[in-house]
Amino acid sequence: MPEIKFCLSRGDFAQQFTALPDHEAWGALQTGNGRIAAESPLARVHRLDGSDGYEPTFTLTTAAVPARALCAVIPQASASDPQTVRGA
């Protein structure tokens, strides 16, 4: 099976869409190394208001409008490493 790489790009892309309620528009999930056009992301990334850089909480939505939630990435409270996350 070939390896697929993903990139989380922020830059100007987060300013191109409206965030979910109680979130901020944060960036886009793309394949490759981030050199793909920002107009064609796999998903939009929304960061939950109040989450910090140490334990951020994100929601990924479809790139198409209207956006549909795909998954949430949240800190795992029981993890020994606070940077461990799980999909919800």
Side-chain angles (χ1 to χ4, degrees), residues 7-10 13-14 17 26-30 38 40-45:
C7 168
L8 182 62
S9 60
R10 293 191 64 202
F13 184 79
F17 65 93
W26 200 80
L29 181 67
Q30 300 174 297
S40 60
L42 297 173
R44 294 175 174 175
V45 182

Side-chain angles (χ1 to χ4, degrees), residues 5-54:
K5 295 183 180 183
F6 293 93
C7 168
L8 182 62
S9 60
R10 293 191 64 202
D12 296 332
F13 184 79
Q15 298 173 5
Q16 297 179 15
F17 65 93
T18 302
L20 296 172
D22 300 321
H23 288 72
E24 66 175 301
W26 200 80
L29 181 67
Q30 300 174 297
T31 56
N33 59 8
R35 295 186 181 146
I36 296 173
E39 296 80 34
S40 60
L42 297 173
R44 294 175 174 175
V45 182
H46 308 256
R47 183 175 171 168
L48 182 66
D49 287 342
S51 64
D52 59 29
Y54 187 65

